[in-house]
Amino acid sequence: MENCLLSKAIIKFLHFNIEFEDVPSTFVLFGNEYSVFGPTILLAFIVAITTVNFNVMRTGQNKEHYISAAIRIILSGLVGARVGYIFLHW
């Protein structure tokens, strides 16, 4: 990789005829190259849990039910993604 902080990718939505060029796919931090995907998914989880937590507090429901459900959903999604990857690339 060259001496740049981001490598670029192209995202295409074929059926909608939409194309995004120069979308960052990796970034360099302290000399190591990282994918943008992981931090983006982590940010989405944090925003979703924070939004649910706000709505639960506003409506006066039991927060623990939603937190435990969120943990189960996140772990199930990670395991399911790994199983799908193994199934498709075996």
Side-chain angles (χ1 to χ4, degrees):
M1 189 170 127
E2 299 172 9
N3 289 332
C4 67
L5 294 179
L6 299 172
S7 68
K8 304 293 183 173
I10 297 174
I11 298 176
K12 295 181 182 181
F13 297 95
L14 298 177
H15 296 290
F16 298 109
N17 199 19
I18 298 173
E19 183 175 310
F20 298 105
E21 296 181 6
D22 297 330
V23 178
S25 62
T26 61
F27 63 94
V28 177
L29 184 64
F30 303 118
N32 297 320
E33 188 173 355
Y34 299 99
S35 173
V36 173
F37 181 75
T40 304
I41 294 298
L42 177 64
L43 179 65
F45 285 144
I46 291 170
V47 168
I49 290 172
T50 303
T51 303
V52 168
N53 189 31
F54 174 75
N55 287 328
V56 165
M57 288 182 1
R58 186 174 53 90
T59 59
Q61 299 178 22
N62 188 356
K63 179 171 65 170
E64 296 301 320
H65 295 299
Y66 290 94
I67 297 296
S68 64
I71 291 171
R72 282 184 263 150
I73 289 168
I74 291 169
L75 292 176
S76 298
L78 291 173
V79 170
R82 178 53 63 186
V83 168
Y85 178 82
I86 291 170
F87 179 73
L88 291 174
H89 291 90
W90 188 336

